[in-house]
Amino acid sequence: MHRPRWIPADVDLDRPNPARILDYFLGGAHNFAVDRRAAKQAAQAMPEVANGMRASRSFLRRAVTALVEAGVDQFLDLGSGIPTVGNVHEIAHRLAPEARVVYVDNEPIAVAHSRTILGANPLVTSVRADLRHPDSVLDLPEVREMIDFSRPVGLVAIAVLHYLPDADDPQGLVEAYHDALAPGSYLALSHATVDFVPEDQLGAVSQVEGIYRQISAQLRPRPYGEVAKFFTGLDLLPPGVVPVRQWRSEWSEEHEGKVHLSYGGVGRKP
């Protein structure tokens, strides 16, 4: 396979990449044949997977729009993947052209893609960092140059925390981030769940999890109570923590499927 010159030499293009698989499901162009094969395997095992990813992306659009309308003009997107097909900066800039966005991801391929897509945009940057180390992320010069932490920030964690096992204490990590933000900041979060998956489809969920394990990506869906804990100490915006398709939306089964696969919510730091 032809190797684009912008891809780091240490990146294995023979292995599917979760960020590029998502890009494929969203209709993007930043994926390769190996990613498309893995995506099709997951969709064959559980057809609702593609709809679930599109529903989560639709939630991102509505959540970021709500934050911009609330006056937020700077965003920190954790585990951002590839910023394509309606990501944070595209959504925010429609309403607030001067909004600043920092994308954070620890996957070299995702960051390489991001920097190519973003080019020299002075209002957006992509940094390679591990969200499991909040102090390191928040102290990066690129982050400090773009984000004014004395003012409200929109912290975005869409479809990322379900890749962290309990041993990484994802709730503690989220608390560390919003503890560092100014009052009036927001958390927009979505997280995979199997709460609504019929019992006869749980085997399909296991197959999808197995596909992701093959590409070194663990999936840890969580129930409502665990997802709601991420918003501890925050004031939830109506309608609270709900399936992403039901967050300020008239969702369509035709376009976003019948089975809820993610919870989502937005909370404000008092």
Side-chain angles (χ1 to χ4, degrees), residues 229-248:
K229 285 182 181 178
F230 289 121
F231 296 94
T232 300
L234 304 181
D235 296 329
L236 281 167
L237 273 59
V241 177
V242 296
V244 291
R245 297 188 182 101
Q246 296 179 349
W247 199 88
R248 302 190 178 187

Side-chain angles (χ1 to χ4, degrees), residues 182-185 233-235 268-270:
S185 294
L234 304 181
D235 296 329
R268 182 181 184 274
K269 181 175 180 178

Side-chain angles (χ1 to χ4, degrees), residues 44-86:
Q44 184 175 12
M46 190 173 188
E48 285 290 331
V49 167
N51 287 328
M53 291 187 177
R54 287 191 285 267
S56 190
R57 182 50 56 100
S58 294
F59 166 75
L60 170 68
R61 173 179 51 79
R62 297 190 301 274
V64 171
T65 297
L67 298 196
V68 174
E69 290 175 345
V72 175
D73 63 0
Q74 47 182 1
F75 294 84
L76 183 64
D77 187 351
L78 302 176
S80 54
I82 300 171
T84 185
V85 192

